[in-house]
Amino acid sequence: QTIVARMIEWVKETYGFDPSGDKKFLGKAKEEAEKAKIALTVQQSVDIFAPLIAKSPAGEQVDIEIGISRTDFEDAIRPMVDKTIELVQRSLRQQNLTTNDITAVLMVGGSTAIPIVQDAVAGLFGREKVKRHVNPMECVALGAAILADSFELKEDGVSADRHGPAVMEVTAMGLGVAVVK
């Protein structure tokens, strides 16, 4: 969303109109922003070129041609990263835990590949605790599949653990979900 907002501002400054109400523009801008975010995990800068991305009020087709540096991107998302770290710290306090009580941190989801996110988590827990040995985009789905496999659907539509009764224990969102037998 940060990169999309920058693209919108660029169109306003360059072409003099606000494309934020244009669904076609927003869809294409989100695609381009995602590509840029991924590229910025390994590159120091990226150029976004999206031809014919929007129409001006006069009907003119416009292109986007904008460069974004990793530093600018990280500066823009730093408040969100800081807020996330604050929420993790609050979750730990609510569970009467410290970072010393945590033995491993599994980073999942696409944004965990962003260097500033990795550095913030490593700064909180210690780099040795941060685990990146799984594909961050697949592990949530894999965990859900493993959990779902442990249940079978009965005729009445109610699921039951095929290995005996199970209790779903839900902890603070930042701490995870566990099945306890």
Side-chain angles (χ1 to χ4, degrees), residues 7-61:
M7 294 168 76
I8 290 169
E9 287 306 310
W10 188 88
V11 170
K12 286 179 183 178
E13 292 170 8
T14 305
Y15 293 103
F17 74 97
D18 182 354
S20 61
D22 180 341
K23 289 181 182 179
K24 179 184 172 194
F25 168 84
L26 290 176
K28 182 69 174 165
K30 285 178 184 177
E31 287 176 21
E32 295 299 323
E34 182 67 19
K35 290 178 200 172
K37 180 183 84 166
I38 291 168
L40 288 170
T41 65
V42 294
Q43 297 172 200
Q44 292 302 313
S45 65
V46 66
D47 292 323
I48 298 173
F49 177 68
L52 309 175
I53 194 169
K55 277 189 182 178
S56 72
E60 172 190 14
Q61 289 287 118

Tab-separated table of all heavy atoms in Angstrom, residues 7-61:
chain	number	residue	atom	x	y	z
A	7	MET	N	2.848	5.766	-5.922
A	7	MET	CA	2.480	5.799	-7.343
A	7	MET	C	1.342	6.796	-7.582
A	7	MET	O	1.355	7.543	-8.560
A	7	MET	CB	2.091	4.396	-7.817
A	7	MET	CG	3.266	3.416	-7.801
A	7	MET	SD	2.761	1.689	-8.023
A	7	MET	CE	2.434	1.664	-9.780
A	8	ILE	N	0.372	6.814	-6.680
A	8	ILE	CA	-0.741	7.765	-6.792
A	8	ILE	C	-0.220	9.192	-6.713
A	8	ILE	O	-0.600	10.054	-7.523
A	8	ILE	CB	-1.799	7.496	-5.703
A	8	ILE	CG1	-2.531	6.179	-5.994
A	8	ILE	CG2	-2.784	8.657	-5.582
A	8	ILE	CD1	-3.402	5.678	-4.855
A	9	GLU	N	0.663	9.460	-5.764
A	9	GLU	CA	1.241	10.806	-5.628
A	9	GLU	C	2.024	11.191	-6.873
A	9	GLU	O	1.967	12.335	-7.316
A	9	GLU	CB	2.132	10.902	-4.380
A	9	GLU	CG	1.349	10.924	-3.094
A	9	GLU	CD	0.292	12.018	-3.056
A	9	GLU	OE1	0.620	13.187	-3.364
A	9	GLU	OE2	-0.874	11.706	-2.747
A	10	TRP	N	2.733	10.243	-7.458
A	10	TRP	CA	3.500	10.520	-8.674
A	10	TRP	C	2.573	10.918	-9.826
A	10	TRP	O	2.848	11.865	-10.553
A	10	TRP	CB	4.339	9.289	-9.042
A	10	TRP	CG	5.293	9.551	-10.171
A	10	TRP	CD1	6.567	10.035	-10.080
A	10	TRP	CD2	5.048	9.340	-11.564
A	10	TRP	NE1	7.124	10.141	-11.324
A	10	TRP	CE2	6.209	9.718	-12.257
A	10	TRP	CE3	3.966	8.874	-12.287
A	10	TRP	CZ2	6.318	9.639	-13.640
A	10	TRP	CZ3	4.069	8.796	-13.667
A	10	TRP	CH2	5.234	9.171	-14.331
A	11	VAL	N	1.458	10.192	-9.973
A	11	VAL	CA	0.494	10.536	-11.030
A	11	VAL	C	-0.080	11.931	-10.778
A	11	VAL	O	-0.195	12.743	-11.700
A	11	VAL	CB	-0.630	9.482	-11.140
A	11	VAL	CG1	-1.759	9.971	-12.055
A	11	VAL	CG2	-0.074	8.154	-11.632
A	12	LYS	N	-0.427	12.231	-9.522
A	12	LYS	CA	-0.959	13.565	-9.196
A	12	LYS	C	0.033	14.653	-9.574
A	12	LYS	O	-0.344	15.658	-10.182
A	12	LYS	CB	-1.270	13.664	-7.700
A	12	LYS	CG	-2.492	12.911	-7.249
A	12	LYS	CD	-2.649	13.076	-5.734
A	12	LYS	CE	-3.788	12.314	-5.170
A	12	LYS	NZ	-3.878	12.462	-3.697
A	13	GLU	N	1.300	14.457	-9.195
A	13	GLU	CA	2.323	15.466	-9.470
A	13	GLU	C	2.645	15.567	-10.955
A	13	GLU	O	2.847	16.658	-11.483
A	13	GLU	CB	3.607	15.141	-8.695
A	13	GLU	CG	3.473	15.286	-7.199
A	13	GLU	CD	4.675	14.720	-6.441
A	13	GLU	OE1	5.696	14.347	-7.086
A	13	GLU	OE2	4.594	14.648	-5.204
A	14	THR	N	2.692	14.439	-11.643
A	14	THR	CA	3.115	14.411	-13.043
A	14	THR	C	1.990	14.763	-14.006
A	14	THR	O	2.196	15.495	-14.974
A	14	THR	CB	3.686	13.015	-13.394
A	14	THR	OG1	4.726	12.710	-12.464
A	14	THR	CG2	4.228	12.980	-14.808
A	15	TYR	N	0.789	14.246	-13.741
A	15	TYR	CA	-0.317	14.421	-14.683
A	15	TYR	C	-1.432	15.319	-14.160
A	15	TYR	O	-2.345	15.665	-14.903
A	15	TYR	CB	-0.897	13.059	-15.075
A	15	TYR	CG	0.058	12.213	-15.884
A	15	TYR	CD1	0.746	11.157	-15.306
A	15	TYR	CD2	0.265	12.469	-17.244
A	15	TYR	CE1	1.616	10.376	-16.042
A	15	TYR	CE2	1.129	11.685	-17.991
A	15	TYR	CZ	1.813	10.647	-17.393
A	15	TYR	OH	2.670	9.876	-18.126
A	16	GLY	N	-1.404	15.650	-12.878
A	16	GLY	CA	-2.380	16.591	-12.337
A	16	GLY	C	-3.759	16.018	-12.048
A	16	GLY	O	-4.733	16.767	-12.014
A	17	PHE	N	-3.865	14.713	-11.867
A	17	PHE	CA	-5.156	14.142	-11.481
A	17	PHE	C	-4.931	13.002	-10.498
A	17	PHE	O	-3.840	12.452	-10.385
A	17	PHE	CB	-5.977	13.684	-12.696
A	17	PHE	CG	-5.486	12.415	-13.348
A	17	PHE	CD1	-6.064	11.185	-13.036
A	17	PHE	CD2	-4.454	12.446	-14.293
A	17	PHE	CE1	-5.616	10.021	-13.637
A	17	PHE	CE2	-4.008	11.283	-14.895
A	17	PHE	CZ	-4.579	10.073	-14.578
A	18	ASP	N	-5.976	12.645	-9.772
A	18	ASP	CA	-5.914	11.609	-8.748
A	18	ASP	C	-6.514	10.315	-9.307
A	18	ASP	O	-7.722	10.239	-9.543
A	18	ASP	CB	-6.701	12.059	-7.516
A	18	ASP	CG	-6.649	11.060	-6.381
A	18	ASP	OD1	-6.107	9.953	-6.560
A	18	ASP	OD2	-7.141	11.406	-5.290
A	19	PRO	N	-5.682	9.281	-9.497
A	19	PRO	CA	-6.183	8.022	-10.057
A	19	PRO	C	-6.717	7.045	-9.013
A	19	PRO	O	-7.074	5.917	-9.353
A	19	PRO	CB	-4.927	7.442	-10.723
A	19	PRO	CG	-3.831	7.864	-9.795
A	19	PRO	CD	-4.234	9.252	-9.320
A	20	SER	N	-6.793	7.449	-7.760
A	20	SER	CA	-7.128	6.504	-6.692
A	20	SER	C	-8.551	5.948	-6.777
A	20	SER	O	-8.856	4.954	-6.128
A	20	SER	CB	-6.879	7.118	-5.315
A	20	SER	OG	-7.671	8.262	-5.133
A	21	GLY	N	-9.418	6.545	-7.579
A	21	GLY	CA	-10.767	6.015	-7.750
A	21	GLY	C	-10.884	5.059	-8.928
A	21	GLY	O	-11.951	4.488	-9.170
A	22	ASP	N	-9.811	4.868	-9.652
A	22	ASP	CA	-9.796	4.031	-10.850
A	22	ASP	C	-9.410	2.601	-10.462
A	22	ASP	O	-8.267	2.315	-10.118
A	22	ASP	CB	-8.786	4.623	-11.842
A	22	ASP	CG	-8.677	3.846	-13.144
A	22	ASP	OD1	-9.087	2.670	-13.198
A	22	ASP	OD2	-8.149	4.431	-14.112
A	23	LYS	N	-10.376	1.677	-10.510
A	23	LYS	CA	-10.134	0.295	-10.083
A	23	LYS	C	-9.089	-0.404	-10.944
A	23	LYS	O	-8.278	-1.180	-10.435
A	23	LYS	CB	-11.437	-0.500	-10.095
A	23	LYS	CG	-12.388	-0.088	-8.998
A	23	LYS	CD	-13.646	-0.898	-9.031
A	23	LYS	CE	-14.590	-0.410	-7.943
A	23	LYS	NZ	-15.832	-1.149	-7.934
A	24	LYS	N	-9.093	-0.133	-12.236
A	24	LYS	CA	-8.091	-0.736	-13.118
A	24	LYS	C	-6.701	-0.258	-12.706
A	24	LYS	O	-5.762	-1.052	-12.608
A	24	LYS	CB	-8.374	-0.375	-14.576
A	24	LYS	CG	-7.358	-0.939	-15.538
A	24	LYS	CD	-7.628	-0.482	-16.969
A	24	LYS	CE	-6.478	-0.899	-17.865
A	24	LYS	NZ	-6.494	-0.228	-19.141
A	25	PHE	N	-6.575	1.024	-12.461
A	25	PHE	CA	-5.295	1.578	-12.019
A	25	PHE	C	-4.858	0.923	-10.719
A	25	PHE	O	-3.712	0.487	-10.585
A	25	PHE	CB	-5.375	3.095	-11.833
A	25	PHE	CG	-4.185	3.654	-11.103
A	25	PHE	CD1	-3.026	3.963	-11.786
A	25	PHE	CD2	-4.211	3.851	-9.733
A	25	PHE	CE1	-1.910	4.448	-11.127
A	25	PHE	CE2	-3.110	4.334	-9.053
A	25	PHE	CZ	-1.952	4.631	-9.745
A	26	LEU	N	-5.747	0.851	-9.735
A	26	LEU	CA	-5.394	0.298	-8.426
A	26	LEU	C	-4.967	-1.164	-8.534
A	26	LEU	O	-4.012	-1.588	-7.875
A	26	LEU	CB	-6.553	0.447	-7.444
A	26	LEU	CG	-6.858	1.878	-7.001
A	26	LEU	CD1	-8.087	1.901	-6.103
A	26	LEU	CD2	-5.662	2.510	-6.305
A	27	GLY	N	-5.651	-1.927	-9.362
A	27	GLY	CA	-5.275	-3.331	-9.544
A	27	GLY	C	-3.890	-3.474	-10.139
A	27	GLY	O	-3.057	-4.236	-9.636
A	28	LYS	N	-3.625	-2.728	-11.191
A	28	LYS	CA	-2.307	-2.786	-11.829
A	28	LYS	C	-1.237	-2.211	-10.905
A	28	LYS	O	-0.132	-2.761	-10.809
A	28	LYS	CB	-2.351	-2.023	-13.155
A	28	LYS	CG	-1.069	-2.060	-13.928
A	28	LYS	CD	-0.770	-3.437	-14.475
A	28	LYS	CE	0.456	-3.370	-15.378
A	28	LYS	NZ	1.017	-4.668	-15.654
A	29	ALA	N	-1.554	-1.140	-10.193
A	29	ALA	CA	-0.590	-0.532	-9.266
A	29	ALA	C	-0.222	-1.516	-8.160
A	29	ALA	O	0.953	-1.610	-7.776
A	29	ALA	CB	-1.159	0.760	-8.680
A	30	LYS	N	-1.201	-2.263	-7.645
A	30	LYS	CA	-0.912	-3.254	-6.598
A	30	LYS	C	0.003	-4.358	-7.126
A	30	LYS	O	0.910	-4.808	-6.428
A	30	LYS	CB	-2.209	-3.848	-6.047
A	30	LYS	CG	-2.951	-2.892	-5.136
A	30	LYS	CD	-4.252	-3.489	-4.638
A	30	LYS	CE	-5.014	-2.471	-3.808
A	30	LYS	NZ	-6.314	-2.980	-3.373
A	31	GLU	N	-0.233	-4.794	-8.358
A	31	GLU	CA	0.638	-5.809	-8.969
A	31	GLU	C	2.067	-5.289	-9.075
A	31	GLU	O	3.018	-5.989	-8.727
A	31	GLU	CB	0.139	-6.179	-10.365
A	31	GLU	CG	-1.106	-7.019	-10.397
A	31	GLU	CD	-1.589	-7.262	-11.821
A	31	GLU	OE1	-0.774	-7.132	-12.777
A	31	GLU	OE2	-2.776	-7.561	-11.991
A	32	GLU	N	2.213	-4.081	-9.579
A	32	GLU	CA	3.538	-3.490	-9.747
A	32	GLU	C	4.207	-3.237	-8.395
A	32	GLU	O	5.417	-3.425	-8.243
A	32	GLU	CB	3.457	-2.194	-10.554
A	32	GLU	CG	3.008	-2.391	-11.989
A	32	GLU	CD	3.947	-3.269	-12.805
A	32	GLU	OE1	5.184	-3.181	-12.609
A	32	GLU	OE2	3.452	-4.059	-13.634
A	33	ALA	N	3.437	-2.820	-7.404
A	33	ALA	CA	3.973	-2.563	-6.069
A	33	ALA	C	4.477	-3.853	-5.439
A	33	ALA	O	5.536	-3.869	-4.795
A	33	ALA	CB	2.909	-1.909	-5.186
A	34	GLU	N	3.747	-4.943	-5.611
A	34	GLU	CA	4.179	-6.237	-5.064
A	34	GLU	C	5.491	-6.671	-5.706
A	34	GLU	O	6.403	-7.140	-5.019
A	34	GLU	CB	3.096	-7.299	-5.280
A	34	GLU	CG	3.440	-8.663	-4.713
A	34	GLU	CD	3.526	-8.714	-3.198
A	34	GLU	OE1	2.996	-7.814	-2.522
A	34	GLU	OE2	4.149	-9.654	-2.672
A	35	LYS	N	5.601	-6.512	-7.014
A	35	LYS	CA	6.852	-6.853	-7.706
A	35	LYS	C	7.996	-5.996	-7.166
A	35	LYS	O	9.101	-6.506	-6.942
A	35	LYS	CB	6.712	-6.634	-9.215
A	35	LYS	CG	5.820	-7.611	-9.920
A	35	LYS	CD	5.756	-7.238	-11.395
A	35	LYS	CE	4.569	-7.820	-12.091
A	35	LYS	NZ	4.415	-7.316	-13.465
A	36	ALA	N	7.734	-4.716	-6.973
A	36	ALA	CA	8.768	-3.805	-6.464
A	36	ALA	C	9.188	-4.185	-5.053
A	36	ALA	O	10.380	-4.195	-4.721
A	36	ALA	CB	8.269	-2.362	-6.510
A	37	LYS	N	8.220	-4.508	-4.202
A	37	LYS	CA	8.518	-4.901	-2.816
A	37	LYS	C	9.411	-6.129	-2.798
A	37	LYS	O	10.399	-6.190	-2.050
A	37	LYS	CB	7.218	-5.178	-2.048
A	37	LYS	CG	7.448	-5.591	-0.600
A	37	LYS	CD	6.149	-5.918	0.104
A	37	LYS	CE	5.740	-7.334	-0.185
A	37	LYS	NZ	4.702	-7.863	0.682
A	38	ILE	N	9.110	-7.097	-3.622
A	38	ILE	CA	9.913	-8.315	-3.698
A	38	ILE	C	11.321	-7.982	-4.198
A	38	ILE	O	12.311	-8.455	-3.643
A	38	ILE	CB	9.221	-9.370	-4.581
A	38	ILE	CG1	7.955	-9.885	-3.879
A	38	ILE	CG2	10.169	-10.519	-4.921
A	38	ILE	CD1	7.030	-10.706	-4.755
A	39	ALA	N	11.413	-7.163	-5.222
A	39	ALA	CA	12.718	-6.781	-5.766
A	39	ALA	C	13.560	-6.044	-4.727
A	39	ALA	O	14.778	-6.240	-4.646
A	39	ALA	CB	12.541	-5.916	-7.015
A	40	LEU	N	12.915	-5.231	-3.903
A	40	LEU	CA	13.647	-4.450	-2.900
A	40	LEU	C	14.184	-5.309	-1.755
A	40	LEU	O	14.971	-4.819	-0.949
A	40	LEU	CB	12.766	-3.318	-2.362
A	40	LEU	CG	12.539	-2.170	-3.343
A	40	LEU	CD1	11.467	-1.225	-2.819
A	40	LEU	CD2	13.823	-1.423	-3.646
A	41	THR	N	13.790	-6.559	-1.679
A	41	THR	CA	14.366	-7.429	-0.649
A	41	THR	C	15.800	-7.804	-0.992
A	41	THR	O	16.571	-8.154	-0.105
A	41	THR	CB	13.542	-8.714	-0.426
A	41	THR	OG1	13.588	-9.516	-1.597
A	41	THR	CG2	12.114	-8.390	-0.037
A	42	VAL	N	16.160	-7.722	-2.274
A	42	VAL	CA	17.515	-8.088	-2.699
A	42	VAL	C	18.243	-6.963	-3.434
A	42	VAL	O	19.448	-7.038	-3.614
A	42	VAL	CB	17.513	-9.366	-3.572
A	42	VAL	CG1	17.073	-10.572	-2.762
A	42	VAL	CG2	16.654	-9.197	-4.803
A	43	GLN	N	17.523	-5.952	-3.864
A	43	GLN	CA	18.116	-4.836	-4.597
A	43	GLN	C	18.034	-3.569	-3.758
A	43	GLN	O	17.161	-3.431	-2.911
A	43	GLN	CB	17.358	-4.592	-5.916
A	43	GLN	CG	17.413	-5.729	-6.886
A	43	GLN	CD	16.490	-5.521	-8.076
A	43	GLN	OE1	16.158	-6.482	-8.732
A	43	GLN	NE2	16.053	-4.310	-8.371
A	44	GLN	N	18.918	-2.624	-4.046
A	44	GLN	CA	18.912	-1.344	-3.340
A	44	GLN	C	17.898	-0.370	-3.925
A	44	GLN	O	17.508	0.588	-3.272
A	44	GLN	CB	20.311	-0.728	-3.343
A	44	GLN	CG	21.302	-1.509	-2.499
A	44	GLN	CD	20.851	-1.630	-1.053
A	44	GLN	OE1	20.434	-0.670	-0.418
A	44	GLN	NE2	20.921	-2.848	-0.519
A	45	SER	N	17.481	-0.600	-5.163
A	45	SER	CA	16.462	0.259	-5.777
A	45	SER	C	15.767	-0.517	-6.888
A	45	SER	O	16.264	-1.540	-7.357
A	45	SER	CB	17.077	1.543	-6.337
A	45	SER	OG	17.955	1.239	-7.404
A	46	VAL	N	14.622	-0.013	-7.271
A	46	VAL	CA	13.853	-0.645	-8.332
A	46	VAL	C	13.150	0.444	-9.129
A	46	VAL	O	12.751	1.472	-8.579
A	46	VAL	CB	12.840	-1.678	-7.760
A	46	VAL	CG1	11.775	-1.004	-6.932
A	46	VAL	CG2	12.205	-2.501	-8.864
A	47	ASP	N	13.023	0.220	-10.431
A	47	ASP	CA	12.271	1.120	-11.294
A	47	ASP	C	10.953	0.464	-11.637
A	47	ASP	O	10.916	-0.710	-12.018
A	47	ASP	CB	13.052	1.426	-12.580
A	47	ASP	CG	14.294	2.254	-12.316
A	47	ASP	OD1	14.244	3.142	-11.447
A	47	ASP	OD2	15.318	2.007	-12.984
A	48	ILE	N	9.890	1.209	-11.484
A	48	ILE	CA	8.561	0.731	-11.853
A	48	ILE	C	8.172	1.430	-13.135
A	48	ILE	O	8.145	2.660	-13.204
A	48	ILE	CB	7.521	1.040	-10.756
A	48	ILE	CG1	7.883	0.335	-9.462
A	48	ILE	CG2	6.115	0.641	-11.232
A	48	ILE	CD1	7.003	0.716	-8.280
A	49	PHE	N	7.890	0.644	-14.154
A	49	PHE	CA	7.368	1.190	-15.403
A	49	PHE	C	6.099	0.430	-15.727
A	49	PHE	O	6.113	-0.778	-15.930
A	49	PHE	CB	8.364	1.065	-16.556
A	49	PHE	CG	7.804	1.554	-17.858
A	49	PHE	CD1	7.532	2.903	-18.050
A	49	PHE	CD2	7.509	0.674	-18.871
A	49	PHE	CE1	6.992	3.359	-19.240
A	49	PHE	CE2	6.965	1.110	-20.068
A	49	PHE	CZ	6.711	2.461	-20.252
A	50	ALA	N	4.995	1.142	-15.722
A	50	ALA	CA	3.698	0.538	-16.019
A	50	ALA	C	3.037	1.358	-17.127
A	50	ALA	O	2.490	2.430	-16.874
A	50	ALA	CB	2.832	0.499	-14.771
A	51	PRO	N	3.117	0.871	-18.368
A	51	PRO	CA	2.526	1.628	-19.473
A	51	PRO	C	1.001	1.564	-19.465
A	51	PRO	O	0.416	0.563	-19.071
A	51	PRO	CB	3.099	0.948	-20.712
A	51	PRO	CG	3.434	-0.433	-20.267
A	51	PRO	CD	3.776	-0.339	-18.805
A	52	LEU	N	0.411	2.661	-19.865
A	52	LEU	CA	-1.044	2.760	-20.035
A	52	LEU	C	-1.797	2.290	-18.790
A	52	LEU	O	-2.786	1.571	-18.879
A	52	LEU	CB	-1.490	1.970	-21.261
A	52	LEU	CG	-0.733	2.266	-22.565
A	52	LEU	CD1	-1.180	1.335	-23.673
A	52	LEU	CD2	-0.881	3.722	-22.982
A	53	ILE	N	-1.339	2.716	-17.648
A	53	ILE	CA	-1.895	2.246	-16.374
A	53	ILE	C	-3.187	2.956	-15.993
A	53	ILE	O	-3.992	2.435	-15.240
A	53	ILE	CB	-0.847	2.354	-15.248
A	53	ILE	CG1	-1.300	1.559	-14.025
A	53	ILE	CG2	-0.540	3.796	-14.911
A	53	ILE	CD1	-0.237	1.382	-12.973
A	54	ALA	N	-3.379	4.167	-16.502
A	54	ALA	CA	-4.571	4.931	-16.108
A	54	ALA	C	-4.971	5.864	-17.238
A	54	ALA	O	-4.212	6.111	-18.171
A	54	ALA	CB	-4.286	5.739	-14.845
A	55	LYS	N	-6.191	6.379	-17.112
A	55	LYS	CA	-6.682	7.398	-18.043
A	55	LYS	C	-6.889	8.681	-17.274
A	55	LYS	O	-7.470	8.678	-16.186
A	55	LYS	CB	-8.019	6.982	-18.670
A	55	LYS	CG	-7.911	6.083	-19.849
A	55	LYS	CD	-9.262	5.924	-20.521
A	55	LYS	CE	-9.125	4.965	-21.684
A	55	LYS	NZ	-10.409	4.746	-22.328
A	56	SER	N	-6.419	9.765	-17.854
A	56	SER	CA	-6.649	11.076	-17.251
A	56	SER	C	-8.111	11.446	-17.443
A	56	SER	O	-8.817	10.826	-18.250
A	56	SER	CB	-5.754	12.114	-17.907
A	56	SER	OG	-6.221	12.392	-19.222
A	57	PRO	N	-8.603	12.461	-16.731
A	57	PRO	CA	-9.989	12.897	-16.941
A	57	PRO	C	-10.270	13.297	-18.392
A	57	PRO	O	-11.401	13.189	-18.859
A	57	PRO	CB	-10.123	14.091	-16.002
A	57	PRO	CG	-9.118	13.842	-14.926
A	57	PRO	CD	-7.971	13.160	-15.617
A	58	ALA	N	-9.231	13.695	-19.113
A	58	ALA	CA	-9.388	14.072	-20.523
A	58	ALA	C	-9.353	12.853	-21.440
A	58	ALA	O	-9.462	12.991	-22.653
A	58	ALA	CB	-8.293	15.057	-20.918
A	59	GLY	N	-9.174	11.656	-20.867
A	59	GLY	CA	-9.154	10.437	-21.661
A	59	GLY	C	-7.770	10.029	-22.137
A	59	GLY	O	-7.632	9.047	-22.860
A	60	GLU	N	-6.741	10.750	-21.730
A	60	GLU	CA	-5.368	10.448	-22.133
A	60	GLU	C	-4.847	9.243	-21.346
A	60	GLU	O	-4.958	9.200	-20.124
A	60	GLU	CB	-4.493	11.682	-21.850
A	60	GLU	CG	-3.024	11.459	-22.032
A	60	GLU	CD	-2.196	12.631	-21.496
A	60	GLU	OE1	-2.722	13.479	-20.758
A	60	GLU	OE2	-1.004	12.648	-21.805
A	61	GLN	N	-4.281	8.245	-22.035
A	61	GLN	CA	-3.655	7.112	-21.379
A	61	GLN	C	-2.326	7.575	-20.783
A	61	GLN	O	-1.562	8.265	-21.455
A	61	GLN	CB	-3.398	5.981	-22.365
A	61	GLN	CG	-4.660	5.258	-22.832
A	61	GLN	CD	-5.239	4.389	-21.751
A	61	GLN	OE1	-6.351	4.618	-21.329
A	61	GLN	NE2	-4.527	3.388	-21.296
